Amino acid sequence: MSLIPWDQPATLIDLDGSAPVIGTIRDCAMHFAIFKPFAKAQARILLTKPVHREGRKTRTWILEPNEIEALVERLHSEA
């Protein structure tokens, strides 16, 4: 996955229909980090700019839970 800037606007959604978190990638990653495992499995981030994913021909607008977890790890390593 391409490196996404922390200040890029994004929306954290879940498949259960809870209210979304609208903010930056950093905001979304911080919220995701405090979710319980069930909520993490249901979470997705909707991007404002698509990113390239390894193994795919086209760019994508949605990040899956494992990709969001990678953002959380990046956030912790940069702190």
Side-chain angles (χ1 to χ4, degrees), residues 31-57:
H31 277 86
F32 180 86
I34 62 172
F35 284 177
K36 294 182 185 210
F38 173 79
K40 284 183 177 184
Q42 300 294 318
R44 305 292 185 272
I45 290 182
L46 177 61
L47 302 170
T48 55
K49 295 180 183 177
V51 294
H52 178 271
R53 275 199 194 149
E54 191 173 320
R56 293 187 71 166
K57 293 181 181 183

Side-chain angles (χ1 to χ4, degrees), residues 59-74:
R59 296 180 297 163
T60 184
W61 295 89
I62 296 178
L63 298 182
E64 301 291 330
N66 63 324
E67 296 167 314
I68 304 169
E69 192 65 52
L71 287 174
V72 171
E73 291 170 13
R74 182 177 134 208

Side-chain angles (χ1 to χ4, degrees), residues 7-28:
D7 62 347
Q8 179 178 311
T11 303
L12 178 65
I13 59 174
D14 70 46
L15 302 178
D16 261 353
S18 299
V21 173
I22 301 170
T24 63
I25 287 289
R26 180 183 298 276
D27 297 334
C28 293

